[in-house]
Amino acid sequence: MDTRHCAVDGWVDAIPVPGPRDTVTFDLVVRPADIDALDDDAPDTIVTCTSGDPRITHELLNGIQPGDLLRATGTLVQPQTPGDPARLTVDALEVLDTALVPVLREMVLDRYGDYVVIFDADRDQVPVFTAYGAWVGLADNPDAIATLIDIHERVNGGDA
């Protein structure tokens, strides 16, 4: 397996997604420096990025939106099968440019104090996370969010 430490510049493809054990995953769309030398229909390269650093997780879940240009630095693992995305474990993140207009599509992120919820127009259930990306639970509907947060705070001593 080919790995190396590198920096990758690319645009955030979609809203970063919290993962297990306080991680976050997001895709970067990367274009080569010599884009003019490529065919017009040449595909973009997608690099799947993951980070468990609490500062990076917080920034990705609270300050990054699709279309932002980022420099992600970390350990790159090349895919074993052609066509699969390369994977980058991020240990440093820099925002190079922000998207002009926030992109709101079918899903909307909202804050409830120290918590983040994701509303999806196609679903009644609402995923709830702490602002640092820790999984809290799945509320059956928007009316159940406050109850889920209250239970989480009682079990965890009030710390998000």
Side-chain angles (χ1 to χ4, degrees):
M1 187 176 304
D2 185 23
T3 64
R4 64 180 171 197
H5 197 300
C6 66
V8 176
D9 294 350
W11 288 269
V12 177
D13 187 41
I15 295 172
V17 179
R21 296 183 301 277
D22 299 331
T23 62
V24 66
T25 301
F26 61 102
D27 288 339
L28 286 180
V29 177
V30 180
R31 295 199 173 144
D34 59 346
I35 190 73
D36 295 331
L38 297 175
D39 292 334
D40 290 339
D41 61 347
D44 292 326
T45 300
I46 303 296
V47 177
T48 300
C49 302
T50 303
S51 182
D53 183 305
R55 293 169 296 146
I56 294 172
T57 300
H58 178 75
E59 179 64 22
L60 286 165
L61 293 176
N62 295 291
I64 301 298
Q65 64 181 351
D68 287 353
L69 178 61
L70 305 179
R71 174 169 290 141
T73 305
T75 305
L76 182 69
V77 177
Q78 295 295 332
Q80 292 182 340
T81 56
D84 286 348
R87 299 202 176 275
L88 180 69
T89 301
V90 179
D91 53 31
L93 186 72
E94 180 183 356
V95 178
L96 301 175
D97 197 8
T98 58
L100 297 176
V101 177
V103 176
L104 298 178
R105 295 203 174 119
E106 305 86 33
M107 292 192 291
V108 176
L109 267 71
D110 198 2
R111 289 289 300 262
Y112 280 69
D114 291 332
Y115 297 88
V116 176
V117 299
I118 303 171
F119 293 104
D120 185 346
D122 297 331
R123 298 178 51 167
D124 289 334
Q125 296 175 322
V126 182
V128 180
F129 301 89
T130 67
Y132 293 106
W135 174 251
V136 172
L138 188 63
D140 290 331
N141 57 57
D143 295 331
I145 294 170
T147 303
L148 185 62
I149 290 172
D150 183 51
I151 292 168
H152 182 265
E153 287 184 347
R154 279 189 272 140
V155 169
N156 294 296
D159 295 328

